[in-house]
Amino acid sequence: MVPWPGYPLYSAFIDKLGAYQIGYYLDEDRNWGIDVAELQRALSEAKGNSVPRLLCVINPGNPTGQVLSMENMKDVIRFAHDHRLVILADEVYQENVYFGTEFHSFKKVVSTMEPPYCNTELVSIHSASKGCVGECGLRGGYIELVNFEPIVYEAVMNLYSTKDGSTTGQIAMDVVVNPPTPGEPSYERFMQEKMAIFVSHEKRAELFTQLFNSVEGIQCPRTTGALYAFPRVFIPERAVAEAQKLGMEPDAFYCLRLLEETGFFVVPGSAFGQRQGRYHFRTTILPPMDVLRELVARFRVFHTTFLQQWK
């Protein structure tokens, strides 16, 4: 089971392995939270075609930029345990949280729950490629298995003993799990640089939200985690019809026009999965502040013209 919208690589791997993909929709009206009723719908519809084994959760969200509450996570854990599903917790953006939002790992939440839910099988994923260390330039990561039988640990260790990661990625991962501690020579400088990065991310996330929401026909929830904004765009019916005539998803048609006319490259929401009749695009919050303002200024002109042309 994979979230929609969600990271497309999961769908690609499912196809490569010949497995069966069960998509469940995140709840846009509840800040992209997970609705247990939606999980149940997706699971029930898929049981005639597959034997569900795993529930993937991306937290903080990619592309949606949300952070799950502890209560929502508990609901997900109960659902997974009751239906004998392993939870795959993609938590690679766990350091990228803003505006006082608190990140809770699934391991932490599982460990605080009453039996039998404290025994839920869980695979946690973390990476050096996000946070403030790799910033996507260094590739390294780890998985942690929780509540599995010993034979599973042995099988995973045998698999990884034949597949070494890059040396630079492993060095970066060591920095992630063993950061400088108080009293060490590099601690103060490390913390200053780290906080400067996250304060900058937070300012950009806030500015993106304000600027996008000032544009007619755009709804942009506040990015509280990860590195992305995922605005909803209201596309006129005539533009939707034109896209369908061309054999394109409406938001892909919109994003292609945006690229051609402004040079602003974004990814259409249809690449990540979304409910029928809703359209989005994903953009990163990483551009420098002056570039960000210029991008949104170009976007405002494009979007206003697009609405006038297709209304």
Side-chain angles (χ1 to χ4, degrees), residues 2-310:
V2 296
W4 288 343
Y7 187 40
L9 192 59
Y10 287 113
S11 300
F13 268 117
I14 290 169
D15 290 340
K16 181 178 180 180
L17 295 172
Y20 187 83
Q21 178 175 243
I22 306 170
Y24 66 91
Y25 291 106
L26 301 178
D27 190 345
E28 184 173 7
D29 298 327
R30 292 173 50 210
N31 196 29
W32 298 110
I34 299 176
D35 184 357
V36 172
E38 169 61 15
L39 292 177
Q40 185 62 63
R41 177 207 62 78
L43 188 70
S44 299
E45 291 182 3
K47 280 193 172 180
N49 302 307
S50 65
V51 180
R53 298 293 191 193
L54 184 143
L55 171 60
C56 175
V57 181
I58 306 174
N59 182 46
N62 177 9
T64 52
Q66 95 293 348
V67 180
L68 295 177
S69 69
M70 181 177 285
E71 287 306 313
N72 200 180
M73 295 170 72
K74 288 181 178 180
D75 291 339
V76 171
I77 292 165
R78 295 186 188 99
F79 176 87
H81 186 278
D82 291 345
H83 293 280
R84 303 185 65 185
L85 299 170
V86 174
I87 295 177
L88 176 64
D90 181 338
E91 299 174 333
V92 301
Y93 289 103
Q94 61 185 261
E95 292 190 62
N96 301 104
V97 291
Y98 318 114
F99 308 112
T101 305
E102 188 173 2
F103 167 81
H104 304 284
S105 71
F106 266 92
K107 180 182 179 181
K108 170 188 172 182
V109 179
V110 165
S111 70
T112 63
M113 296 183 71
E114 69 284 354
Y117 301 110
C118 59
N119 299 316
T120 301
E121 292 178 326
L122 167 68
V123 180
S124 296
I125 303 174
H126 194 24
S127 170
S129 303
K130 314 303 177 186
C132 65
V133 177
E135 297 182 347
C136 294
L138 292 172
R139 295 298 180 179
Y142 70 77
I143 66 170
E144 181 178 10
L145 307 181
V146 180
N147 291 329
F148 285 88
E149 295 293 331
I151 190 173
V152 177
Y153 291 95
E154 294 172 11
V156 171
M157 289 303 298
N158 288 337
L159 173 65
Y160 278 92
S161 65
T162 63
K163 295 181 179 294
D164 292 332
S166 69
T167 300
T168 52
Q170 292 183 64
I171 292 171
M173 200 66 238
D174 181 69
V175 173
V176 170
V177 299
N178 294 296
T181 56
E184 293 184 342
S186 59
Y187 176 74
E188 289 190 9
R189 181 174 179 180
F190 169 75
M191 290 303 297
Q192 288 173 358
E193 292 181 357
K194 178 179 179 179
M195 293 309 299
I197 290 172
F198 289 134
V199 168
S200 174
H201 287 175
E202 188 172 278
K203 288 180 178 178
R204 288 181 245 184
E206 182 66 19
L207 183 59
F208 243 138
T209 302
Q210 292 177 357
L211 292 177
F212 273 131
N213 282 329
S214 69
V215 179
E216 178 191 359
I218 299 291
Q219 287 183 357
C220 185
R222 195 186 212 188
T223 297
T224 54
L227 300 171
Y228 309 106
F230 197 62
R232 181 180 178 186
V233 54
F234 292 83
I235 300 177
E237 292 184 7
R238 287 184 58 238
V240 171
E242 180 66 16
Q244 292 171 343
K245 187 190 307 182
L246 296 172
M248 301 176 67
E249 292 290 339
D251 51 7
F253 172 75
Y254 177 90
C255 292
L256 182 60
R257 293 286 296 270
L258 175 64
L259 175 63
E260 291 173 339
E261 296 183 25
T262 69
F264 188 5
F265 176 72
V266 298
V267 183
S270 51
F272 304 99
Q274 58 191 357
R275 287 190 181 276
Q276 185 73 23
R278 292 199 176 197
Y279 310 111
H280 306 81
F281 61 83
R282 188 191 78 169
T283 183
T284 178
I285 64 170
L286 292 178
M289 297 287 276
D290 55 339
V291 175
L292 189 154
R293 288 189 177 92
E294 180 184 349
L295 286 174
V296 177
R298 290 188 194 178
F299 173 81
R300 184 189 305 275
V301 173
F302 162 81
H303 184 74
T304 302
T305 303
F306 185 90
L307 292 183
Q308 292 173 349
Q309 178 182 357
W310 293 103

